[in-house]
Structures are given as structure tokens and as C-alpha cells.
Amino acid sequence: MLLLLVSMVAALALAAPAPGTQEKRLQVAQAPNVVLVASDSFDGRLTFQPGSQVVKLPFINFMRAHGTTFLNAYTNSPICCPSRAAMWSGLFTHLTESWNNFKGLDPNYTTWMDIMEMHGYQTQKFGKLDYTSGHHSISNRVEAWTREVPFLLRQEGRPVVNLIPDKYRRRVMAKDWQNTEKAISWLRQVNYTKPFVLYLGLNLPHPYPSPSSGENFGASTFHTSLYWLEKVAYDAIKIPKWLALSQMHPVDYYSSYTKNCTGKFTGNEIKSIRAFYYAMCAETDAMLGEIILALRQLDLLQKTIVVYTSDHGEMAMEHRQFYKMSMYEASVHVPFLMMGPGIKANLQVPSVVSLVDIYPTMLDIAGIAPPPNLSGYSLLTLLSNTSANEQAFKVHHPPWILSEFHGCNANASTYMLRTGRWKYIAYSDGASVPPQLFDLSLDPDELTNIATEFPEITYSLDQKLRSIINYPEVSASVHRYNKEQFIMWKQSVGQNYSNVIAHLRWHQDWQKDPRKYENAIQRWLAAHSSPVVSSPQQFTRGSQPTLLQSSSGSQLTLLQSSSGSQPTLLQSSSGSQPTLLQSTSGSQPTPLQSTSGSQPTPL
């Protein structure tokens, strides 16, 4: 019903021009061309200093020098399909109900590209789209639906690397190169008397499927050639710090375990995984470069706005994880660069933006009035280095972005509010799972959760988040959806259910005690309860903290409040209290001392 209402409102908006926009629409033939290249799993921090020092990305650097870089761009959901649904709809995840990789937009949903085509643009899409419902593996769906079942099962292969020892092998991801060639061929034959918009979706630098197991172990292989590995500054690679298993947030522990990352990794293993990932980013950059070079050869570069972004990032062993499905920077921070006519060169924009901003920005480029009630805002006012435009953007665009996650590898719905120096992360119903608060100006690695140290800031940000999204209600909706979908799937496989569920990606753990795990699912289906974080042992309100057993034998406290008040959080691994910095407009942050009874206020 919500999707139908949104579509109807959008259709009505398209039927009649907004005041003052008719002249722009009649002149669409003079509007610039647009090319959007969207990769998969590219960490946005690699597009500016100091992250850009670790790997050679010449064409991203070219875009940075000749265009605008958004330094704080974020995905609205750190997983493929929901993120892309936000990008193509301009709406937050909870508004489209794109809950997981199986649940996205309706195939007939009106996207920004559809609207541009209605107004005279030639349009074409190549490569990975992945924003509509019905895709991805059975494993991926079942893991998302059963994430609240109180068991721990490894759903991925252990992350590994695979090298092609050929220093001349450039084309490793053949499918991406083929789609890049198709896009260039289309550019060569398009009618240049009319504006066009071209989309190219790349699979890289997403990890590859594990060679021997296919769906049974997902995509845990970082694969490249010696040619690309030589583009990586190996000595500049940092081995990320990890909290001890017993000190991890309960949702982080669940993620690490299901991603098969709770075992022992050597420093060389971690560094190799990161090096191979960066090499895959270098190959991605080369395909972006092929598009830029083609536009230049066709004398189209000065007439075309080029946009580069990604659906989400890649953990690459930060916080003892690979993949995404997390609100840490490696997972949610995406690249966002624009260059072309009217766009300021060598401009770095610090404002927080997100992928829902693409929809209104694309329409603004074409001079088309956006439909009402979009979650995003046009970014064109930020693309020139004038204080007037910056002030205009601040008036219309809120100083925060929202990201949410409801899929597999995290056993609670997760919500991130990113504003100023703060990152606030809330879970589930806001009470059963402890929140997290990070001061990114002092703790860019996000190792010290200061939510309990500064309760007034935590409360203020939580209230702001609740004013944007009623997240306990959304979590309850996802909880109901997951049960309903699992029941329908279970009924559809009938008598084959036990065999099918035992051979999904978690098969190695499941088959050790299949009856135990089937019984856990049955108890979950029979229970009528609010969504809570799952643990191997069910816990009840008012009970003592439940412990997760880690592979090393240490214990992880879920830290449930026995009084029903706010839950007690994990203590910093160092035991020290971070000093916060209060920033003021136009000035450097000044130290704030954390003192009893006195709390700094959020900006």
C-alpha cells in the first residue's frame, strides 16, 4: 500500500509541470548528458587522503582534480539490493520496504531514469542493476528471514585470496569489462543531437564466489592478478585493530561469526586480504577510466556530467569482518564524485550526503522538477565554490543522513544517524540491544563506544533518529515480514524442507546437529514476541546477561539491563575515557573535558 501511494504521488507530480520549470523542460535538448558509473563494495575513503595513498586510482584522481568529491557520502543501506533501491527511488529503505537482497523495488517502479526518458533523454543501462525484488540466492533469503533464531551458524567461507600470477593480465573480471565495452559501443552510436543518460553497473570490487562451493559458501574470495596487485602500496596497508571477542558488541559478534571471521588470522593474512581488495579497486578504476577516455575521444567529455559512486563499501577485515552489512565506516562510506559542465573543479565537499540524493540531483541536472516527498535532495547547489550556494544547501538539506539494515549477517535491524562528528547506531526496538556512539573526529577507527559515557548526547541523537524514523515500529514490521516469508518458503518446499535447509551456506555447521537447529526454528516460529537480538540461549526480560560462547572459549556478554532501563554497554578496551571535541562553525574543534554531571551537547 505504501509503495502504491508513493507511485501515485510521483505520477501526479509528473502529470503537471511545477511553476517555473516549463521553460527548463522545453530546453532539455540543451541539457548536459549524464553518465553514472556505480560499482559494488567500493570503500569511499579510498577516494581522498589519506586512504587514496594505499592504491593507484588514476581516473578517480582525475575526477577529483576536474570535479567535486563528496567527503562524507553514505549508503542508505549497506547491502546490494536495498542500497540500489534507495539510489533508484530516492526513498529511504523503510519507505520502499526493501528489507533484504530478495526484497527491493517493483520491476515497474518509476525511477529517475524513467522520468528523464519521459522528458526527452535517450537512456541506457548496462551491467549490474539489482534494485528489484526476486533476486539473490535461497541461502541469502533464508539467512535474512531467520536472523532472529537463537543459533549461531557460519554462513560464509573463510575469507581467502586468489592470485593470477600474470603481470600482464588486466581483464580479471571479464563480465565487467564486457559491460564496459557495451557501454562504450552505445556511446559511439548514440544520437548526439539529443541529451542522453547512461548507467554502467560494475560487480567489482565485490569479492568473488568461493571457487569450490558456489552458493554453499557465498562470495569470500578476493581475486586479482599480479598486474593489479602491483598498483597497491603494500607498505602503506594498515592492519586494523580488533576488539577482543569478549568485548565486541553482540551484533558485531554475530556478524563476525556468521561471516566465518572469529577464528585466528595472522597479520600477513589480513594484510593480503586488504591488498587484494585494493587491487580489485584498481581494476574498477580502470573501467571507469575507459568510459572517461571514450567520452574524451568522442568529444563528449565537456558536454557530459560524469558521476561515480558505489552501493556500499567493504569491511576488508576491519572490525574482524569482511563484506558489508555493518554501520562501520568501511561498510557505509561510499565514493561520490561528479565532474562536467557547471561543476567546480578540485572541490571537496564535507557535508553529509547519501545515495537517495542521486534521484533529485539527476532530475535537477535535466531541469526537471522532482516528485514530492523524496528522501533525498539535489546536490547541484554544492557543486560550485560559493558561500551562497553552500548556505542554500544547508537550508534545504538536513545536516544528517540515515542508513538502515535489515538483512542477513546481523541479528537485529540496525539504524545509523550520521551528523557532524557523531555516528549514532541504534538496534531493534531501542531497548533490547545496546546502542553505539562514536566520535569520528577522535575515534575514526570506531573502537570506543561512548554511548554510556555521554548519555545526554546519546539520548538527544536517539530522539532525533526517532523523529526521522519510528525504528521500533519498523523493526517490528521486519520481524513480522521475516516470519511470514519463511513460513511461505517452508510450505513451498514441503517434504523436502529438512534436506533443503540443511544444504544451504550454513551446511557445515547445520549438519553437525540438524535436529537442534530445526527445533530452534520451530520454537522461533511458535513464539509471539517483539524483535530482539538472538543468542544461542534464549533470554527473558529481567534475566541476568546471557553469554555467547565464542570459538576461542571466551564469553561475550549481551549486556541486557535487568531493570528494564537503558542497557549497560561494553567498556572501552583500554578502560580510558575519550575526550570529546566540540566543533564550532569555521573553527577547529576545542577540547571538552568529560566530567561527572556535565555533558557536551550534540551539534
Side-chain angles (χ1 to χ4, degrees):
M1 180 61 70
L2 178 60
L3 282 176
L4 178 61
L5 180 61
V6 171
S7 297
M8 289 175 64
V9 170
L12 288 171
L14 293 174
T21 62
Q22 185 66 31
E23 183 179 351
K24 283 186 178 180
R25 293 186 181 190
L26 292 174
Q27 296 177 353
V28 71
Q30 283 74 49
N33 309 309
V34 186
V35 174
L36 170 60
V37 179
S39 60
D40 193 320
S41 307
F42 199 108
D43 185 344
R45 299 172 301 173
L46 297 177
T47 62
F48 51 87
Q49 299 285 357
S52 58
Q53 297 174 339
V54 77
V55 59
K56 295 178 181 177
L57 303 171
F59 292 102
I60 285 176
N61 290 341
F62 179 85
M63 287 193 67
R64 189 171 63 193
H66 292 84
T68 295
T69 305
F70 293 92
L71 301 179
N72 289 294
Y74 289 88
T75 181
N76 300 106
S77 186
I79 192 170
C80 299
C81 183
S83 171
R84 292 162 185 270
M87 182 192 306
W88 286 91
S89 71
L91 296 171
F92 290 138
T93 297
H94 65 280
L95 297 179
T96 61
E97 299 181 352
S98 302
W99 301 135
N100 54 53
N101 266 346
F102 181 62
K103 179 81 163 60
L105 300 180
D106 183 89
N108 297 320
Y109 191 94
T110 300
T111 68
W112 50 263
M113 184 177 278
D114 295 326
I115 298 176
M116 293 176 79
E117 186 174 20
M118 293 175 194
H119 287 80
Y121 268 77
Q122 303 169 88
T123 64
Q124 186 58 272
K125 300 189 286 276
F126 294 102
K128 185 169 185 176
L129 293 171
D130 198 18
Y131 61 81
T132 57
S133 295
H135 306 291
H136 291 268
S137 69
I138 295 296
S139 283
N140 203 260
R141 303 171 200 178
V142 174
E143 291 158 8
W145 297 333
T146 61
R147 63 184 188 155
E148 293 173 9
V149 179
F151 54 47
L152 277 174
L153 294 164
R154 289 169 294 178
Q155 300 167 4
E156 300 286 346
R158 179 184 170 94
V160 295
V161 298
N162 185 55
L163 178 66
I164 300 173
D166 184 346
K167 61 174 12 178
Y168 304 104
R169 175 77 174 272
R170 288 185 77 244
R171 300 195 169 198
V172 178
M173 171 49 85
K175 188 175 182 180
D176 278 354
W177 283 102
Q178 291 165 7
N179 285 322
T180 302
E181 289 176 347
K182 289 177 183 178
I184 292 171
S185 296
W186 186 83
L187 286 172
R188 288 179 178 145
Q189 56 82 39
V190 72
N191 181 356
Y192 301 138
T193 64
K194 296 176 61 180
F196 63 81
V197 55
L198 171 65
Y199 167 86
L200 173 61
L202 303 174
N203 288 285
L204 278 180
H206 191 291
Y208 288 74
S210 299
S212 62
S213 25
E215 168 161 313
N216 286 341
F217 260 137
S220 58
T221 301
F222 292 82
H223 176 60
T224 193
S225 70
L226 194 57
Y227 178 89
W228 296 114
L229 202 57
E230 289 179 345
K231 310 296 181 187
V232 177
Y234 197 80
D235 291 342
I237 298 173
K238 294 182 179 179
I239 298 178
K241 295 178 181 178
W242 290 351
L243 295 177
L245 291 171
S246 60
Q247 294 177 319
M248 293 174 72
H249 187 277
V251 175
D252 288 343
Y253 183 88
Y254 179 92
S255 296
S256 293
Y257 194 98
T258 57
K259 293 176 182 178
N260 208 349
C261 290
T262 53
K264 181 174 176 56
F265 288 84
T266 66
N268 285 337
E269 281 183 286
I270 296 168
K271 204 165 187 178
S272 291
I273 289 169
R274 293 172 70 78
F276 275 60
Y277 169 67
Y278 298 142
M280 293 158 68
C281 292
E283 187 177 1
T284 308
D285 176 82
M287 284 179 272
L288 170 65
E290 292 292 314
I291 298 296
I292 293 172
L293 291 173
L295 290 170
R296 183 177 181 183
Q297 290 165 1
L298 295 167
D299 196 29
L300 293 171
L301 194 58
Q302 301 306 316
K303 308 168 189 175
T304 304
I305 291 178
V306 180
V307 184
Y308 172 63
T309 190
S310 187
D311 56 355
H312 49 72
E314 163 60 52
M315 296 293 284
M317 303 310 291
E318 294 188 25
H319 297 274
R320 207 181 189 107
Q321 297 181 46
F322 76 106
Y323 255 9
K324 51 275 185 182
M325 300 111 163
S326 167
M327 293 301 174
Y328 289 120
E329 288 291 288
S331 171
V332 292
H333 202 138
V334 297
F336 203 146
L337 301 97
M338 298 178 68
M339 71 174 186
I343 296 177
K344 182 75 175 179
N346 199 30
L347 178 65
Q348 294 189 331
V349 176
S351 303
V352 288
V353 300
S354 65
L355 295 181
V356 290
D357 295 326
I358 287 177
Y359 193 117
T361 301
M362 289 294 189
L363 297 189
D364 201 7
I365 289 171
I368 303 170
N373 303 320
L374 291 178
S375 302
Y377 298 81
S378 173
L379 302 177
L380 288 194
T381 54
L382 280 178
L383 300 178
S384 62
N385 196 13
T386 66
S387 57
N389 279 352
E390 185 176 347
Q391 289 303 316
F393 179 80
K394 289 180 178 178
V395 168
H396 298 289
H397 194 295
W400 51 262
I401 65 94
L402 170 70
S403 190
E404 50 188 298
F405 181 72
H406 309 284
C408 59
N409 296 109
N411 55 345
S413 285
T414 309
Y415 307 87
M416 179 188 79
L417 182 67
R418 176 76 175 86
T419 181
R421 63 205 283 183
W422 305 111
K423 176 183 288 188
Y424 176 68
I425 306 170
Y427 296 90
S428 188
D429 56 4
S432 58
V433 186
Q436 292 174 290
L437 175 65
F438 299 102
D439 179 356
L440 297 185
S441 67
L442 285 178
D443 181 24
D445 295 329
E446 301 166 289
L447 293 173
T448 306
N449 178 10
I450 56 174
T452 52
E453 186 178 353
F454 297 101
E456 290 187 7
I457 293 178
T458 301
Y459 176 79
S460 176
L461 292 173
D462 186 73
Q463 291 300 109
K464 181 62 181 177
L465 179 61
R466 289 171 188 263
S467 74
I468 299 164
I469 174 176
N470 184 343
Y471 70 84
E473 184 176 294
V474 171
S475 297
S477 295
V478 177
H479 175 76
R480 290 190 296 270
Y481 162 84
N482 286 339
K483 280 195 173 183
E484 291 167 0
Q485 291 295 310
F486 183 82
I487 289 169
M488 286 192 291
W489 172 78
K490 185 175 184 290
Q491 291 172 344
S492 72
V493 295
Q495 294 181 350
N496 292 325
Y497 164 73
S498 293
N499 183 59
V500 172
I501 200 167
H503 287 85
L504 300 180
R505 291 193 301 189
W506 54 33
H507 65 285
Q508 287 194 351
D509 283 350
W510 185 282
Q511 293 175 19
K512 294 175 183 176
D513 196 347
R515 185 179 296 275
K516 169 185 173 182
Y517 300 120
E518 282 198 41
N519 288 341
I521 288 178
Q522 287 304 116
R523 289 192 297 272
W524 167 70
L525 290 174
H528 180 74
S529 61
S530 299
V532 294
V533 66
S534 63
S535 69
Q537 304 171 31
Q538 191 68 284
F539 56 89
T540 58
R541 185 186 300 256
S543 64
Q544 291 300 311
T546 303
L547 302 180
L548 285 177
Q549 191 71 29
S550 75
S551 57
S552 65
S554 61
Q555 292 180 325
L556 173 68
T557 305
L558 289 185
L559 298 174
Q560 177 155 5
S561 169
S562 58
S563 64
S565 60
Q566 291 297 315
T568 305
L569 302 191
L570 299 172
Q571 184 138 10
S572 160
S573 58
S574 65
S576 61
Q577 295 182 334
T579 301
L580 293 188
L581 297 176
Q582 178 128 25
S583 63
T584 55
S585 177
S587 65
Q588 293 297 315
T590 54
L592 269 181
Q593 192 68 28
S594 167
T595 57
S596 177
S598 174
Q599 307 291 342
T601 56
L603 304 178

